[in-house]
Amino acid sequence: MTASLEQLRRCHFAVDLGAARTRVYVKGAGLVVDQPSVAAVNTRTGALIAVGEFAERMTGRTPDYIRVVRPVSGGTVIDIEMAQRMLRHLLGDRMRRSLRRKARLRAAACTPHDADPLAQRATIETLVGLGARRVELVDTLIAAAVGCGLPVERAEATMIMVCGAAATQVAVLSLGSIVTAERVPVGGEAVDHAIVQYLRHEHALMLPSQSVRPLQLALHGNGLTAHGPAATEIHGRDVATGLARSVLVDTAAVREAIQTPLTAVLDGIGKVLRECPPDLVADLAERGLTMVGGSALLPGFDQMVRTATGMPVHIAERPDVCAVQGLGEMLEGRIEPLVLDPLGAY
């Protein structure tokens, strides 16, 4: 971790390109961008109409010649040109001019655990298009652990779970490195999809495509726990008639529909613990697991993990921005590397 820290301290800005949101941290200025990873394009002229929150509000409400796109999927840039255009508009002219004045502009970026070379190359090309002369890549798991204050540089086990929109990453860290990790292709979007499919099949109700979180509608109160409300009212469109309709949904049935995707996450946690050395697992029995990422805020999710693993489970103070904040800590030089005395000194 020492060499990477030295390289990161020379970087001028950091980017966390997520499937749901894009965040940019500028050295000395802090978090300057925190917007949805969405862009709206005029297909007739190719012009970019809107980005971020405004473009997200346009989802499902545009004429035929306006297309709302997401250039990032599963933490991987799938449309480099569109991702560059989106980032330029999110940063704004003033910030971009300020960054371009830097001699040999350097950037840092988060990448999912075990990202393939093509995915890493797409991230690098995206930031090179913004003027970066060099791009340093940091594993999202390490960046998130640093951002939520875990002592990753010590010879102690720390376990972190990054709950993203498209995937969930689980890892055990020690001495600044990943001991064992698992990436499960299930995230907040899969949970939302499970609820949408349940409402369509059981109640013939279609939710609007606008990004209204179905979880916030169906799982308020205690969420996944049985102590939540017995029923809740959902508004949508009737599948057969196309007319607006409201139904009273049994939240117990919704919780059961959600169990299938979340079970895959619990299996991933179990696999990481089975592959982890016994000494580190003993540390985790006391320290537990820390949840970060936007989907970590799913009501009752932490209690579900706590029941399945028997370990303490904590949610970070600001789970949605931990990864980019961790990159910022490294850029600002606030993280000290672990220095081992050479054996020759004795």
XYZ file of all heavy atoms in Angstrom, residues 198-274:
571
model
N -42.771 -8.523 -8.424
C -43.808 -9.021 -7.515
C -45.111 -8.247 -7.713
O -46.197 -8.841 -7.812
C -43.327 -8.913 -6.071
C -44.446 -9.074 -5.065
C -44.948 -10.339 -4.744
C -45.022 -7.961 -4.450
C -45.988 -10.489 -3.849
C -46.063 -8.102 -3.549
C -46.546 -9.361 -3.254
O -47.584 -9.495 -2.368
N -45.018 -6.918 -7.776
C -46.222 -6.104 -7.952
C -46.877 -6.361 -9.310
O -48.107 -6.346 -9.430
C -45.871 -4.622 -7.818
C -45.416 -4.172 -6.429
C -44.950 -2.717 -6.469
C -46.530 -4.329 -5.414
N -46.077 -6.642 -10.320
C -46.632 -6.896 -11.659
C -47.349 -8.244 -11.712
O -48.436 -8.358 -12.275
C -45.499 -6.846 -12.687
C -45.974 -6.978 -14.131
C -44.798 -7.007 -15.086
N -45.250 -7.105 -16.456
C -45.411 -6.083 -17.278
N -45.160 -4.850 -16.843
N -45.816 -6.248 -18.514
N -46.748 -9.275 -11.121
C -47.322 -10.618 -11.211
C -48.490 -10.829 -10.251
O -49.483 -11.473 -10.599
C -46.238 -11.663 -10.947
C -45.182 -11.694 -11.999
N -43.885 -12.119 -11.768
C -45.216 -11.321 -13.307
C -43.190 -12.022 -12.880
N -43.968 -11.540 -13.827
N -48.362 -10.289 -9.037
C -49.377 -10.553 -8.022
C -50.522 -9.550 -8.036
O -51.637 -9.879 -7.670
C -48.716 -10.564 -6.630
C -47.675 -11.652 -6.443
C -48.263 -13.035 -6.563
O -49.441 -13.214 -6.159
O -47.567 -13.946 -7.062
N -50.251 -8.323 -8.445
C -51.279 -7.279 -8.389
C -51.547 -6.629 -9.751
O -52.329 -5.676 -9.824
C -50.872 -6.195 -7.388
C -50.731 -6.692 -5.982
N -51.806 -6.840 -5.136
C -49.637 -7.102 -5.286
C -51.386 -7.296 -3.962
N -50.079 -7.469 -4.029
N -50.891 -7.119 -10.804
C -51.068 -6.544 -12.149
C -50.859 -5.040 -12.135
O -51.573 -4.283 -12.783
C -52.454 -6.886 -12.712
N -49.853 -4.602 -11.377
C -49.557 -3.176 -11.224
C -48.163 -2.904 -11.762
O -47.198 -3.594 -11.421
C -49.641 -2.767 -9.755
C -49.590 -1.262 -9.471
C -50.915 -0.614 -9.863
C -49.297 -1.012 -8.000
N -48.078 -1.897 -12.611
C -46.798 -1.508 -13.186
C -46.370 -0.172 -12.576
O -47.104 0.816 -12.650
C -46.903 -1.375 -14.711
C -45.577 -1.072 -15.396
S -45.791 -0.862 -17.181
C -46.407 -2.481 -17.627
N -45.185 -0.156 -11.956
C -44.681 1.080 -11.373
C -44.122 1.971 -12.471
O -43.605 1.488 -13.475
C -43.589 0.781 -10.340
C -44.050 0.130 -9.037
C -42.852 -0.092 -8.130
C -45.073 0.983 -8.339
N -44.161 3.283 -12.309
C -43.584 4.184 -13.309
C -42.080 3.993 -13.415
O -41.411 3.633 -12.446
C -43.932 5.578 -12.775
C -44.202 5.388 -11.327
C -44.768 4.018 -11.187
N -41.540 4.200 -14.613
C -40.105 4.017 -14.831
C -39.282 5.124 -14.205
O -38.070 5.003 -14.095
C -39.813 3.945 -16.339
O -40.242 5.136 -16.979
N -39.912 6.211 -13.835
C -39.200 7.266 -13.124
C -38.536 6.682 -11.882
O -39.091 5.800 -11.237
C -40.164 8.397 -12.743
C -39.574 9.492 -11.878
C -38.524 10.297 -12.601
O -38.454 10.227 -13.822
N -37.720 11.024 -11.881
N -37.382 7.154 -11.539
C -36.588 6.547 -10.459
C -37.137 6.867 -9.078
O -36.474 7.480 -8.253
C -35.130 7.002 -10.571
O -34.573 6.612 -11.785
N -38.362 6.467 -8.840
C -38.925 6.514 -7.493
C -38.580 5.188 -6.839
O -38.981 4.144 -7.325
C -40.456 6.720 -7.531
C -41.027 6.666 -6.133
C -40.791 8.027 -8.208
N -37.825 5.220 -5.756
C -37.355 3.988 -5.151
C -38.525 3.159 -4.638
O -39.227 3.556 -3.702
C -36.426 4.294 -3.983
C -35.161 5.017 -4.367
C -34.134 4.098 -4.932
N -33.650 3.161 -3.910
C -32.776 2.200 -4.166
N -32.341 2.014 -5.367
N -32.367 1.409 -3.213
N -38.793 2.002 -5.258
C -39.880 1.159 -4.758
C -39.653 0.743 -3.303
O -40.593 0.525 -2.560
C -39.825 -0.066 -5.688
C -39.113 0.405 -6.914
C -38.151 1.433 -6.442
N -38.387 0.636 -2.917
C -38.099 0.236 -1.539
C -38.611 1.270 -0.552
O -39.082 0.937 0.525
C -36.593 0.059 -1.361
C -35.962 -1.040 -2.192
C -34.459 -1.031 -2.012
C -36.521 -2.375 -1.801
N -38.503 2.544 -0.902
C -38.960 3.584 0.007
C -40.484 3.592 0.108
O -41.048 4.066 1.093
C -38.461 4.951 -0.477
C -36.959 5.038 -0.616
C -36.239 4.698 0.668
O -36.687 5.048 1.754
N -35.126 3.993 0.561
N -41.147 3.079 -0.924
C -42.601 3.010 -0.888
C -43.091 1.779 -0.125
O -44.031 1.841 0.656
C -43.161 2.965 -2.319
C -42.887 4.197 -3.183
C -43.359 3.935 -4.606
C -43.597 5.404 -2.627
N -42.442 0.649 -0.371
C -42.936 -0.605 0.186
C -42.290 -0.997 1.505
O -42.829 -1.813 2.229
C -42.712 -1.731 -0.831
N -41.119 -0.442 1.804
C -40.387 -0.882 2.991
C -40.015 0.308 3.860
O -38.847 0.585 4.070
C -39.123 -1.641 2.582
C -39.356 -2.985 1.894
C -38.031 -3.580 1.483
C -40.083 -3.932 2.807
N -40.991 1.021 4.352
C -40.687 2.066 5.324
C -40.774 1.454 6.713
O -41.032 0.265 6.874
C -41.656 3.244 5.175
C -43.100 2.870 5.237
N -43.766 2.662 6.416
C -44.001 2.633 4.247
C -45.022 2.341 6.158
N -45.194 2.303 4.854
N -40.545 2.233 7.718
C -40.570 1.688 9.080
C -39.369 0.800 9.329
O -38.234 1.172 9.092
N -39.608 -0.429 9.776
C -38.536 -1.367 10.095
C -38.126 -2.226 8.912
O -37.354 -3.170 9.070
C -38.948 -2.262 11.267
C -39.029 -1.495 12.557
O -38.191 -0.642 12.817
N -40.048 -1.761 13.344
N -38.651 -1.917 7.738
C -38.166 -2.526 6.518
C -38.268 -4.032 6.467
O -39.345 -4.612 6.487
N -37.093 -4.709 6.389
C -37.056 -6.144 6.197
C -37.457 -6.927 7.437
O -37.639 -8.133 7.362
C -35.637 -6.566 5.776
C -35.164 -6.019 4.427
C -33.732 -6.424 4.177
C -36.044 -6.511 3.305
N -37.538 -6.285 8.568
C -37.903 -7.000 9.790
C -39.417 -7.164 9.873
O -40.183 -6.417 9.266
C -37.418 -6.248 11.037
O -38.099 -4.987 11.129
C -35.915 -5.993 10.960
N -39.838 -8.144 10.658
C -41.270 -8.432 10.796
C -41.998 -7.390 11.632
O -43.219 -7.441 11.747
C -41.455 -9.807 11.416
N -41.242 -6.441 12.224
C -41.859 -5.421 13.065
C -42.326 -4.211 12.254
O -42.807 -3.236 12.825
C -40.869 -4.952 14.132
C -40.344 -6.078 14.975
N -41.130 -6.764 15.878
C -39.112 -6.651 15.034
C -40.402 -7.696 16.476
N -39.175 -7.652 15.977
N -42.163 -4.261 10.949
C -42.590 -3.148 10.117
C -44.101 -3.126 9.951
O -44.835 -3.955 10.503
N -44.619 -2.185 9.147
C -46.061 -2.092 8.927
C -46.597 -3.318 8.199
O -45.904 -3.925 7.382
C -46.201 -0.824 8.074
C -44.863 -0.643 7.432
C -43.859 -1.157 8.418
N -47.827 -3.694 8.500
C -48.414 -4.900 7.908
C -48.756 -4.711 6.436
O -48.701 -5.659 5.654
C -49.667 -5.303 8.683
N -49.103 -3.503 6.043
C -49.486 -3.239 4.657
C -49.147 -1.803 4.302
O -49.000 -0.941 5.182
C -50.975 -3.503 4.447
N -49.019 -1.554 3.017
C -48.748 -0.196 2.551
C -49.414 -0.006 1.196
O -49.612 -0.967 0.447
C -47.234 0.063 2.443
O -46.999 1.429 2.133
C -46.606 -0.796 1.360
N -49.754 1.230 0.878
C -50.450 1.534 -0.373
C -49.445 1.922 -1.445
O -48.564 2.746 -1.216
C -51.449 2.670 -0.150
C -52.365 2.904 -1.347
C -53.407 3.988 -1.085
O -53.199 4.778 -0.136
O -54.404 4.040 -1.814
N -49.584 1.312 -2.620
C -48.691 1.567 -3.742
C -49.514 2.107 -4.908
O -50.590 1.586 -5.224
C -47.965 0.272 -4.171
C -47.174 -0.312 -3.003
C -47.042 0.533 -5.340
C -46.002 0.511 -2.586
N -48.988 3.156 -5.553
C -49.660 3.764 -6.706
C -48.897 3.393 -7.977
O -47.667 3.417 -7.997
C -49.713 5.288 -6.562
C -50.336 5.748 -5.282
N -51.700 5.808 -5.095
C -49.769 6.153 -4.109
C -51.954 6.239 -3.877
N -50.800 6.454 -3.257
N -49.639 3.025 -9.004
C -49.016 2.670 -10.267
C -50.041 2.622 -11.387
O -51.108 3.241 -11.301
N -49.718 1.870 -12.439
C -50.586 1.764 -13.610
C -51.038 0.324 -13.783
O -50.232 -0.607 -13.665
C -49.836 2.223 -14.864
C -50.728 2.372 -16.088
C -49.920 2.800 -17.290
N -49.080 1.729 -17.790
C -48.268 1.837 -18.841
N -48.160 2.984 -19.456
N -47.531 0.813 -19.235
N -52.316 0.152 -14.047
C -52.872 -1.178 -14.256
C -52.308 -1.763 -15.547
O -52.287 -1.110 -16.594
C -54.395 -1.116 -14.334
C -55.027 -2.497 -14.328
O -55.055 -3.124 -15.404
O -55.459 -2.934 -13.239
N -51.843 -3.013 -15.481
C -51.223 -3.653 -16.640
C -52.227 -3.838 -17.782
O -51.897 -3.647 -18.958
C -50.622 -5.017 -16.239
C -50.123 -5.771 -17.467
C -49.492 -4.828 -15.242
N -53.469 -4.179 -17.461
C -54.470 -4.473 -18.491
C -55.086 -3.212 -19.085
O -55.159 -3.057 -20.312
C -55.565 -5.372 -17.911
N -55.536 -2.296 -18.241
C -56.264 -1.121 -18.727
C -55.373 0.084 -18.999
O -55.750 0.977 -19.753
C -57.332 -0.712 -17.700
O -56.692 -0.290 -16.487
C -58.264 -1.879 -17.401
N -54.208 0.126 -18.351
C -53.339 1.286 -18.510
C -53.742 2.470 -17.661
O -53.130 3.537 -17.756
N -54.760 2.327 -16.834
C -55.228 3.418 -15.990
C -54.494 3.421 -14.650
O -53.979 2.399 -14.194
C -56.742 3.280 -15.749
C -57.625 3.303 -16.994
C -59.088 3.074 -16.602
C -57.472 4.622 -17.748
N -54.470 4.597 -14.035
C -53.840 4.709 -12.717
C -54.642 3.923 -11.688
O -55.876 3.926 -11.709
C -53.744 6.179 -12.316
N -53.925 3.240 -10.807
C -54.584 2.421 -9.807
C -53.719 2.320 -8.567
O -52.493 2.422 -8.638
C -54.855 1.013 -10.379
C -55.664 0.103 -9.459
C -56.211 -1.090 -10.257
N -55.161 -1.936 -10.749
C -54.656 -2.992 -10.080
N -55.126 -3.290 -8.879
N -53.710 -3.722 -10.607
N -54.368 2.159 -7.425
C -53.661 1.977 -6.159
C -54.052 0.632 -5.564
O -55.205 0.212 -5.665
C -54.007 3.100 -5.170
O -53.639 4.361 -5.691
N -53.073 -0.044 -4.956
C -53.341 -1.326 -4.318
C -52.727 -1.316 -2.921
O -51.753 -0.614 -2.661
C -52.768 -2.514 -5.124
C -53.428 -2.616 -6.479
C -51.260 -2.377 -5.270
N -53.328 -2.111 -2.047
C -52.806 -2.286 -0.694
C -51.960 -3.556 -0.688
O -52.473 -4.653 -0.912
C -53.943 -2.383 0.314
C -53.571 -2.168 1.784
C -53.053 -0.743 1.991
C -54.773 -2.431 2.685
N -50.657 -3.399 -0.458
C -49.712 -4.501 -0.589
C -49.308 -5.006 0.792
O -49.014 -4.211 1.697
C -48.457 -4.043 -1.373
C -47.443 -5.179 -1.460
C -48.853 -3.583 -2.761
N -49.291 -6.324 0.935
C -48.840 -6.961 2.171
C -47.310 -6.903 2.211
O -46.630 -7.500 1.372
C -49.318 -8.413 2.207
C -48.903 -9.125 3.485
O -48.478 -8.432 4.428
O -48.989 -10.351 3.533
N -46.753 -6.186 3.171
C -45.303 -6.010 3.223
C -44.584 -7.311 3.567
O -43.412 -7.482 3.220
C -44.923 -4.927 4.248
O -45.541 -5.226 5.495
C -45.355 -3.560 3.774
N -45.259 -8.247 4.231
C -44.640 -9.548 4.503
C -44.335 -10.273 3.194
O -43.284 -10.913 3.046
C -45.541 -10.394 5.390
N -45.252 -10.171 2.218
C -45.023 -10.798 0.917
C -43.902 -10.101 0.162
O -43.122 -10.738 -0.550
C -46.317 -10.771 0.100
N -43.813 -8.775 0.334
C -42.725 -8.032 -0.314
C -41.384 -8.454 0.268
O -40.402 -8.647 -0.455
C -42.939 -6.515 -0.152
C -41.763 -5.749 -0.718
C -44.228 -6.092 -0.845
N -41.344 -8.614 1.597
C -40.103 -9.061 2.225
C -39.686 -10.437 1.713
O -38.505 -10.708 1.481
C -40.267 -9.101 3.749
C -40.301 -7.735 4.412
C -40.098 -7.855 5.914
N -41.168 -8.611 6.551
C -42.279 -8.072 7.028
N -42.463 -6.754 6.929
N -43.207 -8.801 7.596
N -40.665 -11.306 1.497
C -40.357 -12.636 0.975
C -39.823 -12.566 -0.448
O -38.906 -13.313 -0.818
C -41.616 -13.502 1.018
C -41.374 -14.951 0.634
C -42.634 -15.789 0.756
O -43.623 -15.304 1.348
O -42.622 -16.935 0.262
N -40.362 -11.650 -1.255
C -39.884 -11.496 -2.630
C -38.447 -10.995 -2.671
O -37.680 -11.323 -3.581
C -40.807 -10.535 -3.389
N -38.064 -10.192 -1.676
C -36.718 -9.619 -1.632
C -35.685 -10.642 -1.164
O -34.499 -10.519 -1.455
C -36.719 -8.387 -0.698
C -37.449 -7.236 -1.361
C -35.319 -7.939 -0.345
C -37.559 -6.029 -0.492
N -36.139 -11.671 -0.444
C -35.199 -12.619 0.152
C -34.318 -13.295 -0.898
O -33.150 -13.577 -0.638
C -35.971 -13.698 0.933
C -36.674 -13.192 2.172
C -35.703 -12.664 3.209
O -34.592 -13.153 3.343
N -36.128 -11.641 3.940
N -34.869 -13.563 -2.098
C -34.107 -14.301 -3.111
C -32.827 -13.584 -3.515
O -31.742 -14.174 -3.452
C -34.989 -14.583 -4.339
O -36.119 -15.361 -3.924
C -34.204 -15.347 -5.396
N -32.861 -12.312 -3.948
C -31.589 -11.655 -4.298
C -30.678 -11.447 -3.099
O -29.455 -11.546 -3.230
C -32.038 -10.322 -4.915
C -33.403 -10.077 -4.400
C -34.007 -11.434 -4.237
N -31.248 -11.162 -1.927
C -30.407 -10.913 -0.761
C -29.748 -12.188 -0.244
O -28.693 -12.130 0.384
C -31.228 -10.261 0.354
C -31.726 -8.841 0.069
C -32.440 -8.276 1.278
C -30.576 -7.935 -0.339
N -30.339 -13.342 -0.512
C -29.715 -14.605 -0.109
C -28.377 -14.804 -0.804
O -27.431 -15.354 -0.223
C -30.653 -15.786 -0.417
O -31.868 -15.620 0.320
C -30.019 -17.106 -0.030
N -28.267 -14.355 -2.049
C -26.992 -14.453 -2.770
C -25.910 -13.626 -2.078
O -24.743 -14.023 -2.039
C -27.174 -13.992 -4.220
N -26.294 -12.472 -1.524
C -25.334 -11.640 -0.790
C -24.866 -12.361 0.472
O -23.672 -12.376 0.795
C -25.964 -10.280 -0.433
C -25.016 -9.448 0.421
C -26.327 -9.516 -1.701
N -25.793 -12.981 1.196
C -25.423 -13.723 2.398
C -24.513 -14.906 2.065
O -23.586 -15.226 2.825
C -26.680 -14.212 3.117
C -27.646 -13.122 3.607
C -28.860 -13.744 4.278
C -26.941 -12.167 4.561
N -24.751 -15.556 0.929
C -23.873 -16.648 0.501
C -22.463 -16.134 0.221
O -21.467 -16.809 0.528
C -24.433 -17.324 -0.753
C -25.714 -18.097 -0.474
O -25.968 -18.394 0.718
O -26.454 -18.390 -1.436
N -22.365 -14.931 -0.368
C -21.055 -14.338 -0.628
C -20.296 -14.039 0.654
O -19.082 -14.250 0.740
N -21.005 -13.541 1.670
C -20.369 -13.285 2.964
C -19.854 -14.578 3.565
O -18.725 -14.656 4.080
C -21.364 -12.606 3.928
C -21.775 -11.231 3.388
C -20.760 -12.463 5.321
C -22.858 -10.558 4.200
N -20.669 -15.644 3.489
C -20.246 -16.933 4.013
C -19.023 -17.480 3.303
O -18.120 -18.049 3.939
N -18.940 -17.290 1.992
C -17.785 -17.777 1.230
C -16.519 -17.040 1.649
O -15.450 -17.654 1.789
C -18.044 -17.594 -0.268
C -16.934 -18.140 -1.142
C -17.252 -17.989 -2.616
C -16.128 -18.549 -3.476
N -16.414 -18.389 -4.928
N -16.612 -15.720 1.848
C -15.444 -14.949 2.275
C -14.955 -15.421 3.641
O -13.750 -15.587 3.872
C -15.777 -13.436 2.307
C -14.678 -12.645 2.999
C -15.982 -12.915 0.895
N -15.871 -15.658 4.561
C -15.490 -16.109 5.904
C -14.874 -17.509 5.864
O -13.943 -17.804 6.622
C -16.708 -16.091 6.826
C -17.260 -14.703 7.179
C -18.548 -14.825 7.970
C -16.227 -13.892 7.964
N -15.381 -18.377 4.990
C -14.816 -19.734 4.902
C -13.398 -19.717 4.355
O -12.569 -20.559 4.732
C -15.710 -20.619 4.023
C -17.022 -21.028 4.674
C -17.706 -22.126 3.884
N -18.047 -21.700 2.531
C -19.182 -21.112 2.195
N -20.099 -20.860 3.119
N -19.422 -20.774 0.940
